[in-house]
Amino acid sequence: MAKFVLAGRADCPFYAKAEVLADYLQKNLPDFQIYKITQHPHVWEEWLKDLCEKNKWNHKNSPIIWRELLDRGGKGLLLGGYNEFLEHAQLYYGVTSSMTTEMMKVIAGENLEAHMKKELETEPQKDLTEPLQVWITSASASACCHLIPVLTSGEVFGMHTQISITLFDKKQAEETLQTLATETQHLVSPFLQSVAVCTRAEEAFRGAHVVLILDDPVDREVRTMEEYTRSRVPLCRLLGHLIEKNAHESVRVIVGGKTFVNLKTVLLIRYAPKVAHNIIAVALGVEGQAKAALARKLKTSPSCIKDVIVWGNISGCGYVDLRKAKVYRYDSAVWGPPHFARPVLSLIFDSEWVNKEFVATLNEWIATGKQFRGILAAHSIATTLKYWYHGSPPGEIVSLGVLSEGQFGVAEGVVFSMPAKCENGTWEVLTDLEDIELDKQILTRITRDLIQEILVAFGDVRYFQPHRSEIEKTTSADKKDNQESQQVSDEHTASSHSDLNQEEEKAFVMLHDYEGRTVKQ
């Protein structure tokens, strides 16, 4: 009996053509047997590479066909790709295929749809036997205590998903981690299969599906901001290396906290390039702070305010954009059904409050970190993770810190908070939103600090020189009021706004050429 294995990318037209031919041979030849394997386009290349390394084959395209040697065992005999299979069928069985290109594409589309449907059907069954491996770094941080009950509630990963949590931190924190692990077991969560402690770096992130990066404690010997910034490089180099080496190939990494969030994210991307697209920074904390301040002004609930956009530096000089912000269920003379919303800026007539007091409030919260403690940090991380797995609310804008690919004119190579949505297990930047273009001068001064953080971290710039004397969040109004808002902000900080100087530009460009330092995906 001739048993062949046909494997390919689920959306590959040549796999589709080979599949139809193989089905015909199996139906008409009693001694011909075919076993088919499809892989999602995102994992196909890695799967094929592992298969070829295991069997010492040399094959790079979809599909791949080999013959199983049933009568004598062994690894199998590689036949090749679609052309080799077609020649084999014609030579040995006198059969060929005349399928049109259009039909190949139709069947390929059906194959991809069927593959994704099968994955969704089998996901709950996998969850029953294989728990989701969740790793929390700097687990001795206070945010971890608030994060664990949310993760084990079933709300984040779903009511059919079992999880295993591993608490990772330095050896000095082992006693604290053991106490936390015991408390976690006392929760008696039906969704928690196990909880473990890890203090050995070489064992970190083994099989991890999710890695949550919390704020790490500042070493006592670090005295200046520049020293702290540079100390992030070896730490993120180690974490990135371990994530790429030990974690699951589809691992999702979320960076949270209140200090240098964008910098830590871009460093992790730099040192774990294989999973770069799955490393993001949490911006929902700042978004929540802005909604709370607006809600107090409007005398409504923060949950009624949607579509506040956080641009740029999450834990530093950013830009809170209210041009798309809406308020639902607002108690006023104008009333409507639950889906009825009104623009926030049309309800706040005090432009001075928007441009000064609102900005000053956010400025103080972000500069001091007093309003970003464990509860808010944990909730922001958990909500971001929930959206990533199950999708953000339909039609709602959320802010995510992601690696810039030039969207909205942002410089490539920096992690920048942008408007986004989560859908079907992935995230997407909302580049099609109307009327949200940022003024070039505003964009430059937001980006400048992010670039300087990277340059200082690698020692290319000795001292950090912010574009203004203190951290300041700026707020945009709608198109009509936007110019006035920008004018107030510009007058306030005109003396310190400037583009990157030539030395900084040159150093930043050179960073992309350094071996092992590229941040482009």
Side-chain angles (χ1 to χ4, degrees):
M1 175 179 286
K3 178 182 178 181
F4 289 86
V5 180
L6 169 63
R9 208 177 63 239
D11 63 346
C12 174
F14 293 102
Y15 172 86
K17 192 170 184 178
E19 177 191 27
V20 172
L21 177 59
D23 287 342
Y24 175 84
L25 292 174
Q26 182 169 252
K27 181 179 179 180
N28 292 278
L29 300 173
D31 291 333
F32 185 92
Q33 186 178 352
I34 187 72
Y35 179 72
K36 293 177 283 188
I37 301 172
T38 57
Q39 294 292 337
H40 194 281
H42 291 166
V43 302
W44 163 253
E45 289 186 5
E46 194 67 29
W47 182 89
L48 179 62
K49 180 181 176 183
D50 292 341
L51 175 72
C52 290
E53 286 180 355
K54 179 181 177 182
N55 292 283
K56 294 182 173 55
W57 292 339
N58 182 20
H59 190 84
K60 299 186 180 299
N61 301 315
S62 173
I64 180 173
I65 302 107
W66 70 91
R67 181 175 178 177
E68 294 286 351
L69 304 177
L70 298 178
D71 55 342
R72 57 188 120 150
K75 65 181 181 181
L77 182 65
L78 177 65
L79 182 63
Y82 165 74
N83 289 329
E84 288 77 12
F85 181 62
L86 195 66
E87 292 175 4
H88 181 86
Q90 192 169 13
L91 179 62
Y92 284 91
Y93 308 113
V95 177
T96 187
S97 174
S98 58
M99 183 184 295
T100 63
T101 302
E102 191 64 32
M103 183 58 66
M104 289 166 61
K105 292 180 179 178
V106 170
I107 296 176
E110 293 174 351
N111 281 344
L112 179 59
E113 185 177 346
H115 177 85
M116 296 179 69
K117 184 178 180 181
K118 184 179 179 181
E119 282 188 337
L120 291 174
E121 291 174 351
T122 57
E123 196 65 34
Q125 300 174 12
K126 290 181 180 178
D127 294 336
L128 293 175
T129 56
E130 299 178 9
L132 201 68
Q133 299 292 333
V134 180
W135 283 70
I136 305 176
T137 71
S138 302
S140 61
S142 62
C144 189
C145 299
H146 301 283
L147 182 59
I148 289 175
V150 184
L151 296 179
T152 57
S153 67
E155 181 183 348
V156 175
F157 299 107
M159 296 298 180
H160 299 288
T161 303
Q162 293 277 307
I163 67 171
S164 288
I165 296 176
T166 303
L167 308 174
F168 178 51
D169 212 323
K170 297 177 182 178
K171 182 68 176 177
Q172 298 91 310
E174 186 170 7
E175 185 176 347
T176 302
L177 299 187
Q178 293 292 356
T179 302
L180 187 56
T182 302
E183 284 192 61
T184 302
Q185 291 172 332
H186 293 171
L187 293 174
V188 197
S189 168
F191 308 105
L192 179 65
Q193 191 170 110
S194 66
V195 58
V197 168
C198 178
T199 58
R200 293 171 58 86
E202 61 270 21
E203 297 175 1
F205 312 129
R206 291 195 185 278
H209 298 99
V210 175
V211 175
L212 306 177
I213 311 290
L214 304 185
D215 263 333
D216 52 293
V218 180
D219 296 330
R220 291 182 179 179
E221 59 268 19
V222 175
R223 294 181 295 275
T224 68
M225 187 183 71
E226 286 81 6
E227 288 176 335
Y228 179 81
T229 303
R230 293 182 184 117
S231 70
R232 300 308 90 191
V233 175
L235 174 64
C236 292
R237 182 190 296 121
L238 174 63
L239 294 179
H241 170 72
L242 292 171
I243 288 171
E244 216 171 62
K245 178 184 177 184
N246 296 337
H248 191 273
E249 60 184 11
S250 61
V251 63
R252 305 182 191 198
V253 182
I254 290 183
V255 183
K258 58 185 179 182
T259 55
F260 295 100
V261 175
N262 297 62
L263 174 65
K264 289 184 286 190
T265 306
V266 79
L267 290 176
L268 286 172
I269 289 172
R270 192 167 292 199
Y271 294 118
K274 290 183 180 178
V275 295
H277 188 73
N278 276 2
I279 303 177
I280 62 174
V282 175
L284 292 186
V286 179
E287 196 176 297
Q289 291 174 327
K291 290 177 179 178
L294 293 168
R296 280 194 289 273
K297 180 66 175 177
L298 294 171
K299 294 181 173 58
T300 187
S301 169
S303 64
C304 295
I305 298 175
K306 310 291 184 184
D307 298 345
V308 172
I309 302 173
V310 177
W311 295 93
N313 196 341
I314 297 165
S315 51
C317 174
Y319 189 85
V320 177
D321 192 339
L322 303 182
R323 288 173 292 179
K324 294 293 182 181
K326 296 184 284 288
V327 58
Y328 293 79
R329 302 187 297 279
Y330 187 63
D331 188 10
S332 68
V334 180
W335 191 254
H339 63 271
F340 174 73
R342 300 177 67 184
V344 165
L345 289 169
S346 70
L347 300 172
I348 301 178
F349 303 103
D350 187 356
S351 60
E352 185 173 350
W353 180 89
V354 173
N355 294 318
K356 292 185 178 179
E357 188 176 335
F358 177 62
V359 170
T361 300
L362 290 182
N363 176 29
E364 181 183 357
W365 287 349
I366 294 163
T368 62
K370 291 180 180 179
Q371 300 295 325
F372 197 84
R373 299 185 186 274
I375 295 176
L376 181 57
H379 181 266
S380 303
I381 292 171
T383 303
T384 302
L385 195 55
K386 176 185 175 181
Y387 288 169
W388 202 349
Y389 270 88
H390 302 291
S392 52
E396 189 172 321
I397 301 171
V398 297
S399 302
L400 290 179
V402 301
L403 186 67
S404 169
E405 295 179 343
Q407 305 98 321
F408 307 108
V410 177
E412 293 185 39
V414 296
V415 167
F416 203 91
S417 180
M418 303 180 187
K421 68 175 181 179
C422 295
E423 195 174 57
N424 297 324
T426 187
W427 55 265
E428 177 186 352
V429 176
L430 296 175
T431 55
D432 56 347
L433 290 176
E434 296 180 358
D435 302 323
I436 62 166
E437 293 81 7
L438 289 177
D439 178 80
K440 186 176 180 181
Q441 187 180 17
I442 296 174
L443 186 62
T444 298
R445 65 180 186 250
I446 293 174
T447 308
R448 187 176 187 271
D449 279 0
L450 294 174
I451 294 176
Q452 276 217 15
E453 286 179 2
I454 299 174
L455 297 176
V456 170
F458 283 107
D460 296 284
V461 171
R462 189 173 181 182
Y463 297 109
F464 185 82
Q465 298 177 341
H467 71 266
R468 60 187 73 182
S469 59
E470 57 182 16
I471 302 171
E472 176 176 326
K473 287 278 174 180
T474 57
T475 309
S476 71
D478 58 5
K479 219 167 187 180
K480 181 178 179 180
D481 297 328
N482 194 31
Q483 292 181 351
E484 177 185 349
S485 173
Q486 290 179 13
Q487 183 178 356
V488 172
S489 178
D490 290 347
E491 288 175 355
H492 180 66
T493 57
S495 62
S496 54
H497 291 171
S498 62
D499 291 346
L500 290 174
N501 59 44
Q502 292 182 354
E503 181 182 353
E504 289 172 337
E505 283 188 352
K506 182 179 179 182
F508 185 65
V509 171
M510 287 174 65
L511 280 175
H512 295 278
D513 298 327
Y514 289 173
E515 182 178 354
R517 288 190 180 182
T518 179
V519 297
K520 293 185 179 179
Q521 294 186 50

